[in-house]
Amino acid sequence: MKAKVVFKTYDQSQLILLPPSYDDLVPLNHPVRTVNTIIDQIDIAELERSYKGGGTSSYHPRMLLKVTIYAYLRNMYSSRRIEQALLENVHFMWLSGQSKPDHNTINDFRGKRLKGKFKNIFNQVVLLLADQGILSLKELFVDGTKIEANANRYTFVWGKSIKAGKERIKKQLKELWSYVEKVYAEEQMLPNQPYFGEIDPEKVAQTIDTINEALKDKKIDKKVKQKLDYAKKNWPKNLQKYNEQEAILGKRNSYSKTDPDATFMRMKDDAMQNGQLKPGYNLQASTNNQFITNYTLAQTTADTTTLKDHLKDHIESYDQTPQTLTADAGYGSEENYTDLEEKNITAFVKYNYFHKEQRDKKHRENPFHPDNLFYNKETDTYYCPMGQAMKKVGSYHSETTTGFKQQIHRYQATNCKGCPLRGSCHKAKGNRAIERNHHLVRLKEKARTLLLSEEGIAHRKRRCWDVEAVFGNIKQNMGFKRFMLRGMDKVTTEIGLIAMAHNLRKFSIV
């Protein structure tokens, strides 16, 4: 006999004596309570002072801050979706106290109110976590990743194109003047040659006027006349545009017209897997125990030039210098090693070819490699494998793109003729010469010793799962691969919200 089916009571019209409180509907260990508790402990006086007062009342910034951070923790980045959640999601209703700001208010708060103020809020939360022993500010693991900007991928401006455009105008001006010289070839009086040194709108306009004046009463080629008319109408205007674009570029080589602060970069995680160039920002992050302790955004594609500013920002934020810093070979440069040494930071930072030195026995034992030549520091002399002295023949200074000065010394052998090892030693026609940067050689030797120590090996192993796991969480689990906002100030706030959401989500499950 079939058992009787019993259903739980379902009656939508059933009244209850007391409506349930939202607080009863939110579990005690829910992440929304973590956000609420942490943000209640934060000083937001600076944020409150940004409100002028007068007129209608404003939504409380602490409530908006909680809602925005919790939305990012829930992978909700659209202001319209946040607005909808405040009407439908019981956790948002509880967190906001049933306040219902619309998407414009949320977007204005995120893009304008938090601009320049969120970093202080983020730092306060990190210090709270540090006080509880969740993370340490003494050991940093640094890495970078590129995040696509909210910009059109095809509205690019290239520095090389601007330079080529200016050179093209300069070349065509000279060709027009050559035509003037040809017209006056049979006359004794040739007009004064205009100045072709500077390419700016005013001087180009003056040069075109000079050429037109010289050809005013002459019979000239129809195509030349058309070119002069086009040049007078367009070239000064084009040069003005080039100058404006160069001002936006600064030291970069590209930018996007729809987000001028974004630079075109190769994205490793491109869907096409072909390393397409896209407008983006270079996110630099310091982590400890997989918590983000500091974040900065750079407009340069290489990580090498970002470390000094990133470290400076960390020290200014927390008024303390870390004891150790671990990073991969993308940060190994003379400038970075020098800066870390001056700050008395133990640096477990790889340099180019570090792994090749360890794995490639031929490279390590190659007697002809400059790194393996014997050097007598007292006499400042290198010795080739045949024992011939290579004395210093000169030195010079070079400067990096960031303005860092390097000193290079040049050493040369006196007689390589007839040497039985010459074919293996070098391919130059004359005597072998090498260039050495003694300061960099010393710094690399120091880095090598640290990296191969027990502590260095432990830090190198830890870096892989500490900082790289954070980027994996942000891009894969949180689904944040493209900014919603535009402009350096706004995207800096947005990546700060992502970093805060990452930390609080991880803290809620620790």
Side-chain angles (χ1 to χ4, degrees), residues 261-478:
D261 287 342
T263 306
F264 277 79
M265 307 176 179
R266 290 201 180 277
M267 303 290 176
K268 288 183 181 178
D269 54 352
D270 178 67
M272 301 295 291
Q273 295 297 308
N274 57 3
Q276 287 187 4
L277 284 169
K278 296 179 183 176
Y281 294 89
N282 190 351
L283 167 63
Q284 297 295 305
S286 301
T287 68
N288 183 276
N289 200 23
Q290 294 187 352
F291 286 88
I292 299 174
T293 58
N294 190 40
Y295 62 88
T296 55
L297 284 177
Q299 295 173 293
T300 55
T301 56
D303 292 334
T304 314
T305 57
T306 64
L307 185 61
K308 282 181 69 175
D309 289 338
H310 180 75
L311 186 56
K312 180 183 176 183
D313 185 80
H314 175 94
I315 294 170
E316 290 176 351
S317 295
Y318 302 110
D319 196 25
Q320 58 178 290
T321 303
Q323 293 175 351
T324 68
L325 186 144
T326 308
D328 64 11
Y331 298 88
S333 70
E334 182 182 1
E335 183 175 4
N336 288 339
Y337 285 136
T338 302
D339 184 61
L340 290 163
E341 188 175 64
E342 289 173 352
K343 290 181 170 63
N344 200 27
I345 299 172
T346 303
F348 301 102
V349 180
K350 299 175 189 175
Y351 51 85
N352 287 340
Y353 304 112
F354 170 75
H355 285 297
K356 187 174 183 179
E357 285 179 358
Q358 308 311 308
R359 297 172 183 170
D360 190 344
K361 188 176 180 181
K362 290 183 179 178
H363 175 85
R364 190 168 61 250
E365 298 180 357
N366 181 4
F368 305 106
H369 195 280
D371 288 345
N372 297 327
L373 297 180
F374 176 75
Y375 175 65
N376 187 326
K377 189 174 182 180
E378 293 181 1
T379 60
D380 194 14
T381 306
Y382 278 90
Y383 290 87
C384 75
M386 284 294 290
Q388 182 182 173
M390 301 178 69
K391 295 184 178 181
K392 186 164 75 172
V393 294
S395 60
Y396 64 93
H397 288 86
S398 65
E399 192 172 303
T400 66
T401 54
T402 59
F404 182 76
K405 291 182 173 56
Q406 299 173 310
Q407 187 174 26
I408 313 297
H409 302 277
R410 184 176 175 83
Y411 300 83
Q412 190 168 28
T414 55
N415 184 18
C416 292
K417 190 175 181 180
C419 177
L421 299 178
R422 176 166 181 160
S424 302
C425 186
H426 69 105
K427 307 296 182 187
K429 291 183 179 180
N431 298 324
R432 184 182 182 184
I434 60 172
E435 292 187 345
R436 305 297 284 162
N437 181 338
H438 291 302
H439 186 235
L440 178 59
V441 169
R442 180 187 67 80
L443 292 170
K444 285 174 68 175
E445 180 60 36
K446 180 181 177 181
R448 186 185 300 111
T449 303
L450 286 169
L451 290 164
L452 295 177
S453 66
E454 267 188 51
E455 187 183 3
I457 293 171
H459 275 78
R460 283 158 51 199
K461 287 180 179 179
R462 182 176 169 185
R463 187 197 68 83
C464 299
W465 60 259
D466 202 303
V467 63
E468 292 182 9
V470 170
F471 292 148
N473 180 60
I474 289 173
K475 290 189 173 183
Q476 301 303 320
N477 298 336
M478 298 179 72

